[in-house]
Amino acid sequence: MPRTRLYRDGKLAKEDFPAADISDYVTDPAAVVWLDLCPPEGDDLQLIEEEFGLHVLALEDAVHPGQRPKLDHYGSHLFLSCYAVADPGTPVDPGAPGTLAAHELAVFVTRNALITVRKSTGFDIERVTARWDELANLAECGVGFLLYGLLDCIVDSYFTVTERLDERVDALEDKLFDESRDQIRAVQRESFLVRKDLMRLRRIVLPMREVVNELLRHDSPLVGPTLMPYFQDVYDHLLRVSEQVDSLRDMVATMLEANLTIQGNRLNTIMKKVTSWAAIIAVPTAVTGFYGQNVPYPGFGRLSGLLTSSAIILIGVVVLYWVFRRKDWL
Amino acid sequence: MPRTRLYRDGKLAKEDFPAADISDYVTDPAAVVWLDLCPPEGDDLQLIEEEFGLHVLALEDAVHPGQRPKLDHYGSHLFLSCYAVADPGTPVDPGAPGTLAAHELAVFVTRNALITVRKSTGFDIERVTARWDELANLAECGVGFLLYGLLDCIVDSYFTVTERLDERVDALEDKLFDESRDQIRAVQRESFLVRKDLMRLRRIVLPMREVVNELLRHDSPLVGPTLMPYFQDVYDHLLRVSEQVDSLRDMVATMLEANLTIQGNRLNTIMKKVTSWAAIIAVPTAVTGFYGQNVPYPGFGRLSGLLTSSAIILIGVVVLYWVFRRKDWL
Amino acid sequence: MPRTRLYRDGKLAKEDFPAADISDYVTDPAAVVWLDLCPPEGDDLQLIEEEFGLHVLALEDAVHPGQRPKLDHYGSHLFLSCYAVADPGTPVDPGAPGTLAAHELAVFVTRNALITVRKSTGFDIERVTARWDELANLAECGVGFLLYGLLDCIVDSYFTVTERLDERVDALEDKLFDESRDQIRAVQRESFLVRKDLMRLRRIVLPMREVVNELLRHDSPLVGPTLMPYFQDVYDHLLRVSEQVDSLRDMVATMLEANLTIQGNRLNTIMKKVTSWAAIIAVPTAVTGFYGQNVPYPGFGRLSGLLTSSAIILIGVVVLYWVFRRKDWL
Amino acid sequence: MPRTRLYRDGKLAKEDFPAADISDYVTDPAAVVWLDLCPPEGDDLQLIEEEFGLHVLALEDAVHPGQRPKLDHYGSHLFLSCYAVADPGTPVDPGAPGTLAAHELAVFVTRNALITVRKSTGFDIERVTARWDELANLAECGVGFLLYGLLDCIVDSYFTVTERLDERVDALEDKLFDESRDQIRAVQRESFLVRKDLMRLRRIVLPMREVVNELLRHDSPLVGPTLMPYFQDVYDHLLRVSEQVDSLRDMVATMLEANLTIQGNRLNTIMKKVTSWAAIIAVPTAVTGFYGQNVPYPGFGRLSGLLTSSAIILIGVVVLYWVFRRKDWL
Amino acid sequence: MPRTRLYRDGKLAKEDFPAADISDYVTDPAAVVWLDLCPPEGDDLQLIEEEFGLHVLALEDAVHPGQRPKLDHYGSHLFLSCYAVADPGTPVDPGAPGTLAAHELAVFVTRNALITVRKSTGFDIERVTARWDELANLAECGVGFLLYGLLDCIVDSYFTVTERLDERVDALEDKLFDESRDQIRAVQRESFLVRKDLMRLRRIVLPMREVVNELLRHDSPLVGPTLMPYFQDVYDHLLRVSEQVDSLRDMVATMLEANLTIQGNRLNTIMKKVTSWAAIIAVPTAVTGFYGQNVPYPGFGRLSGLLTSSAIILIGVVVLYWVFRRKDWL
Ligand SMILES: [Mg+2]
Ligand SMILES: [Mg+2]
Ligand SMILES: [Mg+2]
Ligand SMILES: [Mg+2]
Ligand SMILES: [Mg+2]
Ligand SMILES: [Mg+2]
Ligand SMILES: [Mg+2]
Ligand SMILES: [Mg+2]
Ligand SMILES: [Mg+2]
Ligand SMILES: [Mg+2]
Ligand SMILES: [Mg+2]
Ligand SMILES: [Mg+2]
Ligand SMILES: [Mg+2]
Ligand SMILES: [Mg+2]
Ligand SMILES: [Mg+2]
Ligand SMILES: [Mg+2]
Ligand SMILES: [Mg+2]
Ligand SMILES: [Mg+2]
Ligand SMILES: [Mg+2]
Ligand SMILES: [Mg+2]
Ligand SMILES: [Mg+2]
Ligand SMILES: [Mg+2]
Ligand SMILES: [Mg+2]
Ligand SMILES: [Mg+2]
Ligand SMILES: [Mg+2]
Ligand SMILES: [Mg+2]
Ligand SMILES: [Mg+2]
Ligand SMILES: [Mg+2]
Ligand SMILES: [Mg+2]
Ligand SMILES: [Mg+2]
Ligand SMILES: [Mg+2]
């Protein structure tokens, strides 16, 4: 069942009344109406098209998923497309796609009504109604107040996710200079996933900045002098989020570059070990090769020969091992 | 034979009449004419030059292939150059050039006529006529309506191709962390081809954005208040496509960088195996070298010597193999 | 206890009087008041909210840490968010986070009052009061003079830290072409830390530039003709710092790229040594292998054979060693 | 001898008359004069300085080579500096500098005269006179017509060279995934040379775009309504060339990155071969080592021993070779 | 002793008179004065502060080194900060800091006086006075003439250094595809030094462009119609230098990337040699291993065995060496 609210003269007058009653209120100049469709069913959209005189292209965008965040101006109403985000935690399978969940919303703003169309149930609309109730003293500002409460909740979801991504980047950084193979791979995969999430978040937040900026710039009756600082605050939060996202992207790019040099270190280390072991192995080979000669070397066929060769092998191996250890080659 | 249409007072009056009849309609203020040349033959262009008073430079661009997407203003008419795209599927030969097919169109827009010149037959003009028939109620907007239907179909072709490229990028991503040689090479080649297609698509879509933006900005009678939201919708779709293309380019660039680090992993792994096998091989060499010495070691010339040497070889090899396995070096 | 100052007619009239007395002065047109809260306690903020009529959103930003540097305009007052920085020296643990310490300040500027809210005690406010006393002859410019003194001290902190970072970059550069393993790693880790500090400093300095630029552009009574060159000087210093930061970032990026090529040099060098030692080791193996054959080679079972084989081994090893040395392969 | 032309009332009146006669025509309002100096000799420049009242700084730039493409406005005349380009084909010596040849021109444009100063003989002025003759019907547009013909020829030279560079990039692309050493090096060197040519061409074309844009923007009598579409066409061609150049630069950059990953493939392949051969070589070493022991293994000193050892060697080598082949390691 | 000049009515009236006499001339409307301080001593600056009414912040910048190139407007005078550059040649020690020497100048421009403050003696002021004498006919343009002569000399110093850097880049390019170790390292180090010089030069030239652009834009009496083309010429030279610097930076970046691929070539080459030598060494090892077995192989204990084994060793080594040579593996 669609959620509804009716504000009259800046007071919450009714809640969750049937959507069909809306036609009684839309002509009342003192009334402000909210209607939430999640997801829109049957003839819901046709109903609001007629009731509020919405443009057919705006309704199309409200139905088709994957719109970019934007603000469209139609004669009598605005159409807002945006995304709330959520982070369901680290995926169990590290090969799974990025963990960022984006919930698309379509919003119609008329002179005295706010219609929210949630394309999926992921975004919790109760947080928005709670925010409206907290700020009840601004309710007299009309539909702009409802829009502010909604935008504020959406932008808060960006902060939550950005903080979680920041933690993931910090965790990556702690593992960065560890040269074990598993850590190098963990950094690679996780960096890739974080980078993907950051790319997606960025594409949600950046155009949102433009949307709010447009609301601020145009002298619409929607945002009056009382609400202006509140919308500016939302804009400021969007700037803050986008700066954090850019900062995290820089960090991840830096870490991936560092990862390359650390792989280089590891390869250098392994090459040195190969060299060292090759030299150590050469000692018994050369010595036993010598004593295997069919020529009368000192100790040929005698116990003294055995002792000498064994001693040379032992001393050679031990000395080389000690030298390489000291040179930090082994 | 050229395709033609005649709209009169917002109604489709005639279809596929001979091109020679056009001179009868162009002077009628209530008539809107469409003429399609694919490809222009013989004196087709000379005919429209005279009939519609087109500029010689515009006609030159309509003939020569490889124009950039653009909108040129000549006194009495507009000249539009653009590309529809198509994806003929993955090429059989992976070394073949990028799979993106671009079909160039030249369009003349006069006060009451739309002339489309298709430089190749690749673009299906039936989709455009079908779109016009769907939107028949907008036909009274005149030549702007015809232009909108055409642009809408062209931009739809961008979405189709972008979706296909998105699938190819997803497929690449699934193979990304596989360290087998064939997968690494497949990712490289396919990334290269996808990147090339994205580069080409970008060069088609980005200037198209400017073209439609220019149509929106200038208060021409072409785009009146009724058509304005429809042209804005086309512009919005172009923004969406160009964002997706940029997003895919970022993904491909990220994957190519990741590919480099994965090659590094692979090299590290191989180096470790070389080291391990060198150590394992050294065991029998050293032991049989010892027992081949011509000195009276314990068991010289006796069965006990054979058993001892065989036991040492076996134990040494097994122990080393087990140690390297545990250290994940083998 | 909060710090306070009262200027009257351009003279310092009182210092460190109780905050509660402020209400006596704010209505006096000849008085300019400074109040410092560090950190704000209990009802400090509620008190200034009432006394100075500050906006609730500005007060929120003054409490919550992590604001971006910005200048917000509220009807009767300005809200400034900024950061002073400090460098506590090289960290003991090289894996520790970047060494740059940022101290956040919130500043309210009314017609005749400057209220500084320090979110941590790290920034030494005594430097600001000392600066005000040095420039006492500008005190008659009112609250703009107080703001200038504060900004000047904050921007000086950027210079100090930038100089320290410049020293760290110089130290890195000296180690750059050293191919020892420890130097390569030291360069990597330190570059990473310096880059992180530079990224943070940049995010503090760049928006600060915009803040001061905004103070210069708007013809506010805050910055009159006398103070204008002083604020321009602060702006110039911010340009200088941001150029130095960009220059250092370029240097670090260049050094990290150079580091990659130096790792490549090192790997090449090691590979050549492996090749050389493999060749040298092959000499005794081949010679003693030959003399271990059960066939009557010249000297079989005779002293002459021993001498010959020993001579060949010795000569072979020495000649190869000398050749590789000359070719700079060893 | 300098080339000359005289147009009177839109008709070619005289050609190749002595430069000294020019003073007779410059004061005639119906005359348009062209003078070409290649290269300027003796007092040529002093003569035109006096005759046309040219500025001393413009004359300096007309003499000194290496000017950037630009349009300078002097009170009574324009000074244009530009470059025609040519591609003399692939250099014989692949280490030779980039093959792009740039021919610098200095052009003075007065009210009724065009003076071209070619700093080298490389640019064929006959193509310009031929173009003028083709467009004879535009000759009545005055000196702007002469300038258009010149610019059109110069921009055509950019197309020719860009096409040649496109062919070279295509040739590079065909060799890209070939992993043989010679192809990898050929791609590297040729990429480097193509990139250098593209860099040079870009620095010639991009500022030229600004030059023509400036001619279009300013309402000078030079470019009247008849010539406007022609100059716009030149501008459009410059946009097209610069887009192609940027596209080729992207391709070359992409190929150089791909080249790096292909080198990595090659190194991986070689490392696998080293590992495989080391294992195969180990088989006879181990077997003959065993049979060389001075202990009574089965077959010691008997034919059965020889056959057994030979069989083990043969089987071991063949099996390993077959296994490595199947695993694609060899 | 400070250098001085007095121009009266466009003629050089006095030279090198005592600085103390300046107060006699500054009030004379027909007089233009030049004063050079290098470096400013004792109360020099206090004297000019009083005599010319200079702002205290401008004087501070004239004393403190490390100002960025800039133009500050103070009510009655301009303050210009800039750098002349010089190239003292290739450093003896390749590890030494970049060879670019920058000489900082502070310049005050009043209505009728030019005061140059050289912070070091590196910049040769005689070149400026010589330039003034060359252009004596412009002297009647007043203080703008003096400023032009100075700027022209400074910008000439940029050309000289850019040419020297161009030579160094050309020298680098010649060594680029040489794969010897010493050349690779030389390219690396020299590239690093050149890049550093280019970065420094860029930071000197780019803001200078803005400085001259500002002089051109503002309709100050400093640059009248006669001087305008001369200042535009300086601006043009600055554009040319900055383009060359950017071009050289591109070249160096390209070369450093190429260097990485060349290192890769070298590593591939070495790996192939390792493989080849390992195979060659395996031949005598395997053969002598076989003939060292204590089993009755054909030729056991007989001369025929010796000859056979020697022949196999010789043939095997020669054949492998020849095969590897042909395959270009050795
Ligand atoms: Mg968007
Ligand atoms: Mg966007
Ligand atoms: Mg920002
Ligand atoms: Mg950060
Ligand atoms: Mg970074
Ligand atoms: Mg990079
Ligand atoms: Mg284009
Ligand atoms: Mg374009
Ligand atoms: Mg967009
Ligand atoms: Mg994506
Ligand atoms: Mg990316
Ligand atoms: Mg990148
Ligand atoms: Mg910000
Ligand atoms: Mg910022
Ligand atoms: Mg700057
Ligand atoms: Mg630097
Ligand atoms: Mg750099
Ligand atoms: Mg230029
Ligand atoms: Mg350039
Ligand atoms: Mg340019
Ligand atoms: Mg373009
Ligand atoms: Mg391309
Ligand atoms: Mg690319
Ligand atoms: Mg890259
Ligand atoms: Mg600067
Ligand atoms: Mg800079
Ligand atoms: Mg600057
Ligand atoms: Mg330029
Ligand atoms: Mg160049
Ligand atoms: Mg480059
Ligand atoms: Mg790079």
Side-chain angles (χ1 to χ4, degrees), chain A residues 148 223-234, chain C residues 55 57 73-74:
Chain A
Y148 164 69
V223 183
T226 311
L227 282 178
M228 184 54 83
Y230 290 87
F231 277 89
Q232 273 169 340
D233 192 54
V234 169
Chain C
H55 198 284
L57 290 169
H73 296 262
Y74 293 94

Side-chain angles (χ1 to χ4, degrees), chain E residues 73-108:
Chain E
H73 297 262
Y74 294 95
S76 64
H77 55 282
L78 298 173
F79 174 72
L80 169 70
S81 167
C82 58
Y83 291 82
V85 295
D87 182 282
T90 308
V92 180
D93 171 12
T99 58
L100 185 78
H103 307 300
E104 191 174 356
L105 276 95
V107 182
F108 297 92

Side-chain angles (χ1 to χ4, degrees), chain B residues 143 185 245:
Chain B
V143 74
R185 290 194 190 185
V245 169

Side-chain angles (χ1 to χ4, degrees), chain A residues 67-70 203 207, chain B residues 239-240 243:
Chain A
Q67 302 301 315
R68 56 187 193 89
K70 61 169 177 171
R203 268 189 293 279
Chain B
L239 289 179
R240 188 134 63 99
E243 272 170 29

Side-chain angles (χ1 to χ4, degrees), chain A residues 77-311:
Chain A
H77 55 282
L78 297 173
F79 174 71
L80 169 71
S81 167
C82 58
Y83 291 82
V85 295
D87 182 281
T90 308
V92 180
D93 171 13
T99 58
L100 185 79
H103 307 300
E104 192 173 357
L105 277 96
V107 183
F108 297 92
V109 188
T110 71
R111 190 190 53 77
N112 65 344
L114 185 88
I115 302 148
T116 47
V117 181
R118 287 181 282 155
K119 297 185 185 177
S120 70
T121 56
F123 177 59
D124 182 11
I125 202 75
E126 298 312 315
R127 265 191 272 169
V128 178
T129 53
R131 186 91 184 99
W132 283 334
D133 294 339
E134 266 170 57
L135 294 165
N137 60 319
L138 289 173
E140 59 194 10
C141 295
V143 73
F145 153 72
L146 294 178
L147 182 59
Y148 164 69
L150 174 66
L151 291 174
D152 198 48
C153 287
I154 287 169
V155 173
D156 277 356
S157 80
Y158 302 161
F159 271 110
T160 310
V161 164
T162 306
E163 232 153 89
R164 177 75 189 108
L165 286 167
D166 190 278
E167 284 163 21
R168 286 168 73 187
V169 170
D170 283 353
L172 271 174
E173 212 187 322
D174 290 345
K175 294 184 203 151
L176 188 60
F177 285 100
D178 189 332
E179 286 182 24
S180 83
R181 185 177 75 154
D182 289 341
Q183 291 298 51
I184 288 177
R185 291 195 189 185
V187 168
Q188 283 168 11
R189 277 173 193 253
E190 173 67 354
S191 298
F192 183 76
L193 292 176
V194 170
R195 180 133 91 166
K196 222 178 130 185
D197 277 1
L198 287 169
M199 271 156 60
R200 286 189 65 203
L201 185 56
R202 195 178 140 84
R203 268 189 293 279
I204 286 170
V205 172
L206 254 69
M208 199 62 189
R209 229 164 65 175
E210 294 320 300
V211 165
V212 176
N213 196 18
E214 212 178 317
L215 286 171
L216 288 174
R217 274 198 322 256
H218 298 295
D219 284 300
S220 74
L222 195 66
V223 183
T226 311
L227 282 178
M228 184 54 83
Y230 290 87
F231 277 89
Q232 273 169 340
D233 192 54
V234 169
Y235 184 63
D236 180 51
H237 290 182
L238 283 166
L239 289 178
R240 187 135 63 99
V241 167
S242 58
E243 272 170 27
Q244 283 178 11
V245 169
D246 282 345
S247 155
L248 289 172
R249 285 199 338 150
D250 273 6
M251 275 308 294
V252 173
T254 296
M255 284 192 297
L256 279 168
E257 276 174 40
N259 195 277
L260 265 183
T261 64
I262 288 157
Q263 274 195 340
N265 283 340
R266 190 175 160 77
L267 192 57
N268 275 324
T269 305
I270 292 173
M271 288 311 298
K272 282 184 325 189
K273 285 195 182 156
V274 173
T275 316
S276 299
W277 281 116
I280 288 173
I281 288 162
V283 171
T285 303
V287 173
T288 61
F290 188 88
Y291 283 92
Q293 294 183 108
N294 295 316
V295 289
Y297 46 78
F300 182 96
R302 286 203 303 276
L303 187 63
S304 68
L306 173 65
L307 297 178
T308 313
S309 90
S310 301

Side-chain angles (χ1 to χ4, degrees), chain D residues 15-32:
Chain D
E15 193 161 7
D16 292 331
F17 53 84
D21 296 1
I22 278 180
S23 50
D24 302 344
Y25 310 123
V26 287
T27 52
D28 177 354
V32 172

